[in-house]
Amino acid sequence: MPESIAVDVPSGQPGKDVALVEPVSSAVGQVIESIKTGIKRGRYVPGQRLVEPDMVRDLGVSRGSVREALRRLEAEGLVQIELYRGASIRKMSRADFIQVNEIREVLEGLAASLAAQQIDDVGRAALIELEQDWDRGTRGWTYPEYNERFHNLIVEASANKALPVYIDQAKLLFFRLQFHRILRSAAAERRSRREHARIVAAILKGDAKAAERAMRDHVRKSSQDILSAPEEFFST
């Protein structure tokens, strides 16, 4: 039986709690996924307020579910909840970002190394097709969309089922795709594509060490772009 929650609603009897039969796991999960997707797509930026009534209306869930979702996201480090101000997307300091990016560099480097060792024919074909699709421009992807597919394919090719969870968390913590929208330039895209080409070549050759080096270098250079973002995107 799904867990239910109780919320206060206007009922003509002040103080009376009304049981709302709502699957917490489903409703709370819906709110969490909506916020995380908003972060990935740049709909939510660091410091942006998360207005409870708006989420209740837009998602069709209870206020209790929204609050529980925000509490869980606060525990994950994605949301900040302040007394009298409510919830907002958490800003990171530059020092915080550097530390999280060091973790991501190691994790994605490991994924590339394992992909070079574990990739099968299906994975090879998918990686080659992705690169060709981007070069032809037939899919209509933005660069962040293509880039996300690129990194996801490599993690998938690693055949390590635990890695996606940790890598996704690291990405969300510093809101990687939001900074794409702010900082991505044609020159940065060309550089990123050159780095991708080195990663793909190493993986397809089965050179685990070269794949790891190329991926770690790629993540490190991307972080330099993010660190050049305006001060307003970082906490003090």
Side-chain angles (χ1 to χ4, degrees):
M1 172 84 67
E3 181 184 354
S4 296
I5 55 175
V7 294
D8 292 331
V9 298
S11 63
Q13 299 182 46
K16 182 177 180 181
D17 285 348
V18 178
L20 183 66
V21 180
E22 179 179 49
V24 169
S25 58
S26 174
V28 173
Q30 180 185 352
V31 179
I32 290 173
E33 186 58 32
S34 175
I35 293 173
K36 286 185 174 181
T37 298
I39 290 171
K40 289 179 180 180
R41 294 180 180 175
R43 189 167 70 246
Y44 297 130
V45 299
Q48 182 173 340
R49 287 191 62 226
L50 298 168
V51 182
E52 290 183 11
D54 290 349
M55 286 186 284
V56 169
R57 182 193 64 237
D58 294 342
L59 298 175
V61 298
S62 72
R63 195 154 191 165
S65 293
V66 170
R67 289 178 175 175
E68 176 61 23
L70 293 175
R71 283 193 292 268
R72 294 188 190 185
L73 290 171
E74 182 184 36
E76 291 184 34
L78 298 175
V79 165
Q80 180 178 6
I81 300 177
E82 299 176 278
L83 189 63
Y84 305 122
R85 292 180 60 110
S88 59
I89 300 297
R90 187 169 77 89
K91 291 184 179 181
M92 297 183 72
S93 68
R94 291 180 185 274
D96 288 339
F97 167 76
I98 290 169
Q99 291 180 357
V100 172
N101 200 65
E102 287 172 345
I103 296 171
R104 184 191 168 208
E105 181 186 325
V106 171
L107 292 173
E108 295 230 33
L110 174 60
S113 174
L114 291 174
Q117 300 170 67
Q118 302 291 341
I119 195 167
D120 56 17
D121 290 342
V122 174
R124 287 172 177 273
L127 198 53
I128 292 170
E129 182 180 10
L130 175 68
E131 295 301 282
Q132 291 174 343
D133 282 346
W134 175 256
D135 288 334
R136 288 192 293 258
T138 55
R139 297 281 187 169
W141 293 326
T142 63
Y143 194 86
E145 289 170 339
Y146 149 74
N147 188 63
E148 184 174 18
R149 285 173 169 83
F150 176 84
H151 285 271
N152 287 344
L153 275 181
I154 291 174
V155 173
E156 184 178 335
S158 75
N160 186 307
K161 294 182 180 180
L163 269 177
V165 176
Y166 293 106
I167 289 176
D168 192 53
Q169 181 68 7
K171 286 180 180 179
L172 281 168
L173 278 171
F174 58 79
F175 320 121
R176 184 70 181 85
L177 297 182
Q178 293 179 50
F179 287 104
H180 267 295
R181 185 180 64 179
I182 300 162
L183 301 171
R184 182 57 58 190
S185 66
E189 287 182 10
R190 288 193 295 270
R191 187 203 71 208
S192 180
R193 285 286 289 137
R194 290 194 297 270
E195 294 165 3
H196 282 192
R198 287 195 291 271
I199 295 166
V200 171
I203 289 174
L204 296 181
K205 286 196 305 184
D207 190 335
K209 289 184 178 179
E212 181 174 6
R213 282 197 304 270
M215 179 61 84
R216 292 189 64 160
D217 181 64
H218 173 55
V219 173
R220 196 179 308 117
K221 287 179 178 176
S222 296
S223 74
Q224 293 169 1
D225 287 343
I226 296 174
L227 285 170
S228 68
E231 288 297 329
E232 65 191 83
F233 287 95
F234 298 94
S235 66
T236 55

